Each structure stands twice: as structure tokens, then as C-alpha cells.
Amino acid sequence: MPAETFVSRLNEQIAHEFAAHQQYVACAVYYDAETLPQLARFFYRQAMEERDHAMMMVQYLIDADADVTIPGVAAPQASFSDVVAPVALALEQEKRVSDQINELTRIAREAGDFTSEQFTQWFIKEQVEEVATMSDLLRVVERSKDDPMDIENFMAREHSGGAGEDPTAPHPAGAE
Ligand SMILES: [Fe+2]
Ligand SMILES: [Fe+2]
């Protein structure tokens, strides 16, 4: 059984991941309404990744025969002052999640729960990538905020495909 402190903290993290999902859907919808389809597509895809993160955590708790509670989430921010604001918010969110994941790792380690500690390792790597992606994107949108078609061209060039299969990723509950 995973450490109780870890289980309760991981249940909280599931709520954070679902909240991130909702927030990224709200960002995608904003860009869709602004007719910036490449930015919209990027955020719809990021939203799906956040849902997968939540479901990976759900699967881990199910496999470990630990309590899992599917949470409600607070409403995301849905209106934005300009095209930069959703990306700035996303970067802040990813930095916060990185801290949360590090804290999860620390809790597992201090409890001597090495299985749970290992489970968190993939998320540490994932957060490094997500913070890097969002901080690159923030630089691009800040530079081109008066000419959003430049941003769209950048997205089409750099972020057109999906992330691809990651064979090291934990299995999301319910996934094929
Ligand atoms: Fe996430
Ligand atoms: Fe993320």
C-alpha cells in the first residue's frame, strides 16, 4: 500500500490536473473565438494531456488498492485581456504544478514509499518539458502580439503534430 500521506496528496493532485484540463479548454475556446485555430488546437491538445495526467494518477491509486475520489473543480479563468494572457497563465500554472509534483516526490521519499516515489519520476520529466514549452511560447506571443498571424505560423511550424507516443508514460485509467 502507498503511504497514506502520499495517497491523500495524490488525490489533491488529481483535482489540480482536472482543473488544468478545464483551464486549457477555456484557453482553447478563447483562441477559437479569436479565430486563431493553431493556438486553439495547441491548447485543446494540452487539455487532453492534463486529463491523461489525472487519469494516470487515478490508475495508480486503483492499482495500489488505495482510495481515489474524483473531485469537482473550480471554474477556470475564461476571459482574457489579449492573446498573451492565456499563455502567461499557462506558464504560471505549469510552474505551480512542477512545485506540486516535487512536493509529491518529497512526501513519498520521506515516507519511505519508493514505489510512489518512482511513480512521480515521469511527472518530473514531463513538467520540465511543459514549463519549457510554455516559456518558449510566451516569448513568441509577446514578440508577435500585434501580429497574431506570425504566432499562428509559428504554431503550424513547431506544434502541428501531436506529442507522439511516450512508451515510458504511465497508463491512464480507461485508455485503450
Ligand atoms: Fe499535468
Ligand atoms: Fe501541464
Side-chain angles (χ1 to χ4, degrees), residues 37-55:
Q38 298 292 344
L39 277 162
R41 193 160 65 136
F42 171 79
F43 274 98
Y44 284 127
R45 201 188 304 131
Q46 291 302 122
M48 288 307 293
E49 286 190 13
E50 300 303 345
R51 180 198 175 276
D52 280 351
H53 295 166
M55 296 304 271

Side-chain angles (χ1 to χ4, degrees), residues 1 5-6 8-9 12 25 27 38 42 45 47 52 56-57 74 127 129-130 139 155 176:
M1 271 292 271
T5 46
F6 183 84
S8 87
R9 187 56 198 76
E12 286 172 29
V25 171
C27 294
Q38 298 292 344
F42 171 79
R45 201 188 304 131
D52 280 351
M56 288 168 186
M57 293 169 184
Q127 283 312 120
E129 287 169 16
E130 298 211 330
R139 232 166 280 132
M155 298 309 282
E176 296 297 309

Side-chain angles (χ1 to χ4, degrees), residues 106-122:
R106 192 188 63 74
I107 288 168
R109 185 172 298 178
E110 282 180 5
D113 179 356
F114 303 118
T115 309
S116 296
E117 184 183 340
Q118 191 195 41
F119 173 71
T120 65
Q121 298 299 308
W122 182 84

